[in-house]
């Protein structure tokens, strides 16, 4: 029942986050989702990970995010794109999006991440695909 209210847009519309149920539904339809069954999802600080991560979430201030963006471009070329809606920012924008699309993403956060994950008002969130982590770290050393 709860998941249906989220998927339909009803939940966020009832919180007055959207002017109409239609705008809520269009937004929810466009939020990245991981389309597979998982046995488990593990969150841990990177330095404690005893495994190669699929996604690395970085909480950064704007200057740090700029340096990570420069490192991404240094290694991979192109541009760093940001795709977010201000809701489900860590779950969808920093984890599901980079996992499914295989590209990094930067998001500003959402009310939930700021309240429950203690993301500060001067911080933003970067989701990196684990496959690109080595390139980014090596680039940070080079630039």
């Amino acid at each position: 029942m709860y998941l249906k209210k989220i998927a339909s847009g009803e939940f966020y519309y009832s919180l007055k986050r959207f002017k109409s149920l239609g705008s809520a539904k269009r937004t929810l339809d466009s939020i990245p989702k991981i389309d597979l069954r998982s046995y488990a999802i593990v969150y841990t600080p990177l330095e404690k990970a005893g495994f190669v991560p699929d996604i690395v979430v970085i909480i950064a201030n704007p200057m740090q995010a700029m340096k990570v963006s420069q490192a991404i471009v240094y290694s991979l070329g192109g541009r760093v794109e940001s795709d977010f809606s201000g809701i489900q920012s860590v779950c969808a924008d920093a984890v599901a999006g980079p996992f499914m699309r295989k590209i990094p993403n930067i998001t500003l956060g959402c009310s939930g991440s700021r309240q429950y994950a203690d993301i500060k008002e001067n911080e933003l969130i970067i989701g990196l695909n684990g496959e690109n982590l080595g390139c980014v770290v090596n680039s940070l050393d080079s630039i």
Side-chain angles (χ1 to χ4, degrees):
M1 175 79 150
Y2 181 70
L3 291 177
K4 285 183 182 179
K5 284 190 174 201
I6 291 175
S8 72
E10 258 184 273
F11 175 74
Y12 287 103
Y13 178 67
S14 72
L15 294 176
K16 301 194 185 310
R17 299 289 170 108
F18 293 92
K19 183 176 182 176
S20 70
L21 185 56
S23 61
K25 173 79 168 115
R26 276 188 296 284
T27 302
L28 270 293
D29 287 348
S30 68
I31 288 178
K33 297 160 192 70
I34 296 176
D35 189 24
L36 56 91
R37 297 233 180 246
S38 298
Y39 178 73
I41 296 175
V42 178
Y43 288 86
T44 188
L46 186 57
E47 64 270 10
K48 293 182 180 180
F51 55 89
V52 177
D54 292 315
I55 297 295
V56 175
V57 176
I58 300 169
I59 310 301
N61 66 42
M63 177 68 88
Q64 293 165 330
M66 178 198 72
K67 290 182 182 204
V68 171
S69 296
Q70 290 171 338
I72 292 167
V73 173
Y74 182 86
S75 290
L76 305 174
R79 296 183 54 80
V80 177
E81 295 184 30
S82 185
D83 178 44
F84 61 91
S85 62
I87 60 173
Q88 299 185 7
S89 64
V90 174
C91 305
D93 300 336
V95 176
F99 181 80
M100 295 303 289
R101 297 176 186 143
K102 306 294 185 215
I103 57 172
N105 192 37
I106 297 175
T107 178
L108 299 178
C110 64
S111 301
S113 65
R114 299 209 179 267
Q115 182 175 354
Y116 300 111
D118 199 30
I119 307 296
K120 307 288 188 250
E121 68 178 37
N122 65 334
E123 295 175 324
L124 38 99
I125 304 128
I126 304 166
L128 282 180
N129 184 298
E131 295 172 7
N132 303 133
L133 182 61
C135 294
V136 172
V137 169
N138 290 336
S139 296
L140 284 168
D141 285 340
S142 298
I143 57 176

